[in-house]
Amino acid sequence: MKISTKGRYGLTIMIELAKKHGEGPTPLKNIAKMNNLSEHYLEQLIAPLRNAGLVKSIRGAYGGYLLTREPGEITSADIIRVLEGPISPVEGLEDEEPAKRELFSRIRDAVKEVLESTTLEELASHSNDENDSDAFMFYI
């Protein structure tokens, strides 16, 4: 499974919202500027996250976006499923021969476990320090 820019930037949005959780709405413009990303692209990604009930929007001069739940209650799997679809290394798993089906099922299950056990709270509290570069190294 390859996570596209949709999934990566969607995680960026959600991590930034988790960092600001409890401080009021965060405008996408601020997230785009802090991460050197296209505000227009982030606007396209926030809609499915809002439709899935992960974020809500606040209108007005001091508006922006808020998480709908505590950061510890939202997993990276919640976000990736919304933006990337089902978590699966291959399509048509049921059509594979038994040995390959078993392998691909194990890969899928391992990736799901990592995504489902990693919360926004963990991601947001993680340092951006380069000395901590292997802190999120997952071995599957």
Side-chain angles (χ1 to χ4, degrees):
M1 166 179 185
K2 184 175 180 179
I3 297 177
S4 71
T5 56
K6 285 171 58 172
R8 291 177 32 227
Y9 292 179
L11 279 169
T12 299
I13 292 169
M14 298 296 284
I15 291 168
E16 293 298 336
L17 292 177
K19 287 178 182 177
K20 303 286 187 188
H21 188 68
E23 298 177 12
T26 303
L28 278 185
K29 173 177 39 178
N30 295 3
I31 295 172
K33 191 179 293 186
M34 289 182 340
N35 293 280
N36 198 27
L37 300 173
S38 162
E39 182 181 355
H40 179 70
Y41 191 47
L42 297 187
E43 287 170 355
Q44 293 174 20
L45 299 178
I46 200 76
L49 295 169
R50 188 181 62 242
N51 292 340
L54 296 175
V55 299
K56 67 179 177 180
S57 62
I58 306 294
R59 294 181 177 264
Y62 299 102
Y65 291 89
L66 301 166
L67 297 177
T68 58
R69 301 188 311 241
E70 293 295 317
E73 297 174 3
I74 300 172
T75 69
S76 54
D78 297 330
I79 300 158
I80 296 300
R81 281 190 189 105
V82 167
L83 296 171
E84 299 283 358
I87 298 167
S88 181
V90 295
E91 293 181 20
L93 186 60
E94 61 280 348
D95 298 332
E96 293 289 345
E97 62 185 58
K100 289 195 294 184
R101 186 178 328 130
E102 172 67 20
L103 172 64
F104 294 140
S105 293
R106 289 173 50 200
I107 292 169
R108 178 201 60 216
D109 294 346
V111 170
K112 277 175 63 173
E113 169 58 30
V114 169
L115 292 173
E116 289 175 350
S117 66
T118 305
T119 67
L120 272 182
E121 183 175 49
E122 293 171 62
L123 295 172
S125 68
H126 199 278
S127 170
N128 288 333
D129 191 312
E130 289 194 25
N131 295 333
D132 228 4
S133 64
D134 65 343
F136 273 106
M137 179 62 66
F138 295 105
Y139 297 95
I140 300 174

